[in-house]
Amino acid sequence: MSNKLLVIFFFGFLLTIYNCQNKENNKQKMINNSNKINQNKKLIDGINLDGAIFEKEDINLRKYKYQGVYLEDIYIADLLNKGYREDFFKYLKNRESEDDFKTTLFAQLLMIRIQQLKDSNAFFLLTESSKSVELSFDGIELLHDYLIELFLENPTFFIKQSTKYNDKETINYILLESNEYLVQKKFFDENMGYIEGNEKKLLLNREFEEEISDKKLSWKLKQFPKATIIFSPSLYSDWENKTIKFTNIYEMFFGDEITKNLNSAELIYYNLNVLPTIKRYIIDINNEEQIGIIQDPDGYTNLRKDKNTASEVLQKIKSGEKVNVLDQNGDWWLIETKDGKQGYVHKSRIK
């Protein structure tokens, strides 16, 4: 009886392995078939211009022809042919006037395909065109805000495709523009902004967020938590006390959602080519000293030895002077002056 059970178990185990391999093979076939289907399509096929990342009136169809074919009607399979693609890129580089934006239209169509279809071939063609200075100028450089939006909407897609094609051009360009969409802590220090909460933060630039045209990205960002920043009067806050919310997208790049969808090669690419830049923008209150500014209507405040008004005064600190905040527990904060002297100041006197 035990031998029969062993045989049944063994054949069951083999059947399980076969089914898993069969599912994986079918999955790969579906991916390959999808790529073949996309290759047999025209650039305009399968996309909805009404739901595009660009305004419909800014997409100039029926204007540019290559070898007698409107640009949007060119087949993707032809563009994947290296010889055809090189000749087509020469055609794009030949600008006939200052109003010739056929390269821009080509980049727009590829970005829409990435936005709506997650088209791997469109990503490849966009990166290939971006390797040319002339094509990049009227392509991803002119449309860089839209490219950044696509990246933030689905960073996993960009990492996967960059790994697949061994491409660093597109990712590097997006990361070089980090200052446009991410905010470093020094921005808040310079503008007298106090960051509430001790959780790690990766904050999105408010001006960039307000200009986002990708509705799917806008919806996605609403799911992320908001960080509260309290600004003392400064040029940034129009010389008023203001509380402003910034979107914290830390989980977008450091949560489980992104890493669980990457294979080992993609994780290596991610760790080597993406994280080093993104990490520069992380705000981690727990691992850094806080800069405070003394603000007292009397023009100065007292640095005391202990946490009460009856305690010995160690030093008088002028209003406007910066101090290092070492401990924020309770009503009395432990601080260090520019002279290196430590003591306690009531939190109401520190901004």
Side-chain angles (χ1 to χ4, degrees):
M1 186 67 178
S2 60
N3 288 337
K4 288 183 179 179
L5 288 173
L6 186 61
V7 170
I8 292 172
F9 175 79
F10 178 72
F11 279 106
F13 178 70
L14 291 178
L15 183 62
T16 301
I17 294 176
Y18 171 79
N19 287 335
C20 289
Q21 290 178 337
N22 197 39
K23 285 181 180 179
E24 189 62 33
N25 290 336
N26 288 337
K27 181 180 178 182
Q28 191 59 49
K29 286 179 181 178
M30 289 176 64
I31 293 173
N32 292 338
N33 288 338
S34 176
N35 283 337
K36 287 179 181 178
I37 290 171
N38 283 334
Q39 288 178 20
N40 292 328
K41 288 182 177 293
K42 301 173 183 178
L43 287 172
I44 196 68
D45 288 344
I47 60 178
N48 175 18
L49 296 184
D50 290 322
I53 193 172
F54 307 100
E55 295 292 336
K56 191 173 181 180
E57 57 268 24
D58 293 333
I59 305 171
N60 295 313
L61 302 180
R62 293 294 182 261
K63 185 173 182 180
Y64 305 107
K65 282 187 176 182
Y66 175 65
Q67 296 182 352
V69 179
Y70 281 112
L71 192 148
E72 62 270 20
D73 290 329
I74 294 176
Y75 282 94
I76 293 174
D78 290 335
L79 291 167
L80 295 177
N81 179 286
K82 186 177 180 181
Y84 181 96
R85 184 170 67 252
E86 288 176 348
D87 289 340
F88 175 70
F89 284 175
K90 289 178 183 177
Y91 155 76
L92 292 181
K93 291 177 185 178
N94 182 25
R95 294 190 64 183
E96 297 178 357
S97 69
E98 292 184 357
D99 296 327
D100 185 344
F101 288 101
K102 54 181 177 284
T103 300
T104 305
L105 174 61
F106 179 60
Q108 285 176 318
L109 292 170
L110 295 176
M111 287 186 186
I112 296 170
R113 297 192 69 81
I114 291 172
Q115 174 203 10
Q116 297 182 1
L117 306 177
K118 303 299 178 280
D119 188 346
S120 177
N121 294 320
F123 181 90
F124 169 75
L125 293 171
L126 186 66
T127 58
E128 286 297 297
S129 65
S130 300
K131 292 175 183 178
S132 163
V133 175
E134 300 99 315
L135 301 185
S136 176
F137 183 77
D138 283 335
I140 65 170
E141 291 183 43
L142 185 63
L143 305 172
H144 71 283
D145 283 347
Y146 301 99
L147 183 66
I148 292 169
E149 288 184 32
L150 292 178
F151 173 68
L152 292 175
E153 194 271 307
N154 194 345
T156 303
F157 173 82
F158 277 77
I159 294 164
K160 283 181 172 293
Q161 302 310 312
S162 297
T163 307
K164 176 180 178 180
Y165 296 113
N166 191 27
D167 171 73
K168 294 181 182 178
E169 298 284 336
T170 308
I171 287 283
N172 284 349
Y173 180 78
I174 293 170
L175 294 175
L176 281 173
E177 301 293 316
S178 297
N179 281 328
E180 288 200 14
Y181 56 96
L182 295 176
V183 188
Q184 288 184 310
K185 186 176 180 297
K186 67 179 181 180
F187 168 81
F188 301 108
D189 293 338
E190 292 169 355
N191 292 286
M192 300 178 67
Y194 169 71
I195 306 169
E196 288 193 340
N198 294 329
E199 71 280 1
K200 292 181 180 179
K201 299 175 180 67
L202 184 67
L203 301 182
L204 201 63
N205 185 305
R206 278 176 54 82
E207 286 73 22
F208 174 84
E209 186 172 2
E210 289 169 358
E211 297 294 325
I212 287 175
S213 57
D214 187 343
K215 293 180 180 178
K216 190 173 181 181
L217 174 59
S218 294
W219 179 86
K220 177 181 178 179
L221 292 176
K222 289 178 182 178
Q223 315 309 309
F224 286 93
K226 299 292 182 178
T228 300
I229 316 296
I230 302 172
F231 287 92
S232 295
S234 68
L235 182 62
Y236 179 77
S237 64
D238 297 325
W239 304 106
E240 297 177 358
N241 290 307
K242 282 188 178 179
T243 298
I244 303 177
K245 303 284 188 179
F246 285 72
T247 302
N248 181 9
I249 61 170
Y250 181 85
E251 289 297 315
M252 180 185 291
F253 291 97
F254 298 95
D256 295 335
E257 190 63 30
I258 189 168
T259 54
K260 74 179 183 181
N261 290 312
L262 300 177
N263 62 33
S264 57
E266 292 160 354
L267 276 172
I268 292 172
Y269 182 97
Y270 175 58
N271 287 318
L272 290 178
N273 299 294
V274 179
L275 287 190
T277 299
I278 298 296
K279 283 181 176 178
R280 298 175 196 163
Y281 293 85
I282 294 177
I283 298 172
D284 187 359
I285 302 299
N286 293 321
N287 290 330
E288 60 188 18
E289 292 180 336
Q290 289 296 289
I291 304 298
I293 298 175
I294 297 299
Q295 287 192 0
D296 194 304
D298 293 333
Y300 69 92
T301 195
N302 293 319
L303 177 70
R304 296 186 179 273
K305 186 175 182 179
D306 293 312
K307 300 180 179 182
N308 58 73
T309 55
S311 176
E312 177 187 348
V313 175
L314 302 176
Q315 183 180 340
K316 293 186 182 297
I317 312 173
K318 292 180 180 179
S319 287
E321 187 172 317
K322 291 183 179 180
V323 295
N324 291 329
V325 180
L326 306 178
D327 187 354
Q328 299 180 31
N329 290 320
D331 292 335
W332 290 83
W333 290 0
L334 177 64
I335 63 99
E336 182 180 64
T337 67
K338 63 181 180 180
D339 302 323
K341 187 167 289 188
Q342 294 185 9
Y344 292 93
V345 171
H346 195 273
K347 66 179 183 181
S348 63
R349 300 297 187 261
I350 306 174
K351 299 296 182 184

